[in-house]
Amino acid sequence: MSRPIRIGLQIQPQHAEYKQIRQAVADAEETGVDIVFNWDHFFPLSGDADGLHFECWTMLAAWAEATSRVEIGALVTCNSYRNPDLLADMARTVDHISGGRLILGIGGGWFQRDYDEYGYEFGTPGTRLADLSEALPRIRARWAKLNPRPVRDIPILIGGGGEKKTLRMVAEHADIWHSFSDARTLARKSEILAEHGAAVGRDVTSIERSTAVRAPGGSSPDDIAGDLLASGASLFTVTASGPSYDLGPVREWVAWRDERNRAKA
């Protein structure tokens, strides 16, 4: 399936006052990105471990009011932190506030400090993935019961590349699969995803392939994106961290997107 190239920006909600985060979101929308993500943690993941930091879902609700065009979501929500039915209701509410622009990014969770400090059971990777597998159908079932229902069929983005469990869940439930893989690994895991799709009776070419991109050493998108495109990726997400939120790299990716999409038209 030939898809238009899309560009995301993950605005990491760390080391910045909220007014700086809000300005970065406004600048990203003006720049032309397709999706603005945050993340679902309670503490910074880099720099000062006790630095400035803000919560994910209350922020997404604010972004829903503060933006008018971009899709918004978490890259990714930690399934462990909220009851699945509550999360479904939160997502439905943000979807309405935004006029139908929410993406529900979700994963099994991994950052132990979040769990320990907020009193969640960390468990094991296996138990966290089992909980996610149980949560995903509950989320969809709750959306069907809510009044009003979501504005649209909320896209589900699943993050991760575990070949036995995560990719099975992607085949069963995801509209978008986010991988942190290089091109060769992405291609191999896509073959495994196709096997899971065959097992569950789904054509996985309907799933958008997403990847995080970091241009090494100032490389341009043309230097690093070709192999990812050939491996099936069409959604490319750049990261920006506080307090400065340098959007220079994402502007390069937006310009590259526009050039490539025009060439395909």
Side-chain angles (χ1 to χ4, degrees):
M1 178 182 294
S2 177
R3 295 180 178 274
I5 295 167
R6 302 204 295 163
I7 302 299
L9 175 68
Q10 185 188 53
I11 294 176
Q12 299 174 347
Q14 60 178 7
H15 308 308
E17 298 287 352
Y18 183 71
K19 64 182 180 181
Q20 295 169 297
I21 296 172
R22 183 179 60 234
Q23 186 61 55
V25 174
D27 292 345
E29 183 164 55
E30 183 177 0
T31 293
V33 303
D34 298 288
I35 308 168
V36 182
F37 295 107
N38 60 7
W39 66 28
D40 190 19
H41 295 288
F42 305 131
F43 302 94
L45 297 186
S46 62
D48 180 2
D50 294 309
L52 298 174
H53 198 277
F54 290 97
E55 194 273 329
C56 171
W57 274 90
T58 45
M59 183 181 298
L60 288 176
W63 288 7
E65 286 281 9
T67 59
S68 61
R69 180 190 58 78
V70 291
E71 291 184 288
I72 57 174
L75 192 63
V76 292
T77 301
C78 177
N79 174 66
S80 305
Y81 301 159
R82 299 162 194 88
N83 172 283
D85 291 86
L86 172 61
L87 178 61
D89 203 342
M90 293 165 58
R92 180 281 307 255
T93 300
V94 174
D95 188 54
H96 274 267
I97 295 170
S98 70
R101 292 182 288 117
L102 180 77
I103 294 171
L104 178 59
I106 194 165
W110 63 274
F111 189 44
Q112 186 167 355
R113 186 185 180 191
D114 285 346
Y115 287 79
D116 292 346
E117 295 233 20
Y118 277 60
Y120 297 106
E121 181 180 353
F122 188 55
T124 67
T127 61
R128 294 193 296 276
L129 287 174
D131 289 344
L132 177 60
S133 180
E134 189 270 338
L136 288 164
R138 284 180 59 183
I139 290 168
R140 287 200 185 276
R142 180 55 56 185
W143 282 338
K145 296 177 182 178
L146 289 169
N147 185 16
R149 293 189 181 186
V151 174
R152 64 171 177 172
D153 291 332
I154 297 174
I156 292 178
L157 178 156
I158 295 178
E163 296 176 3
K164 294 182 179 180
K165 297 179 179 180
T166 301
L167 291 182
R168 175 79 176 205
M169 283 185 273
V170 170
E172 291 177 324
H173 301 288
D175 301 286
I176 307 169
W177 167 42
H178 183 79
S179 169
F180 298 91
S181 306
D182 59 24
R184 180 177 296 180
T185 304
L186 178 62
R188 181 177 60 80
K189 288 182 182 289
S190 290
E191 293 176 356
I192 297 169
L193 177 61
E195 293 172 2
H196 286 300
V200 302
R202 184 180 181 192
D203 178 2
V204 297
T205 60
S206 65
I207 301 171
E208 186 175 18
R209 313 300 163 91
S210 167
T211 188
V213 290
R214 299 173 181 84
S219 300
S220 71
D222 277 327
D223 293 331
I224 63 175
D227 289 342
L228 289 167
L229 278 171
S231 297
S234 61
L235 172 55
F236 300 87
T237 297
V238 184
T239 60
S241 186
S244 62
Y245 293 113
D246 176 13
L247 300 192
V250 80
R251 290 188 179 98
E252 292 186 32
W253 281 90
V254 166
W256 170 83
R257 174 204 66 192
D258 292 346
E259 181 181 348
R260 293 299 296 257
N261 284 342
R262 282 194 299 269
K264 291 168 61 178

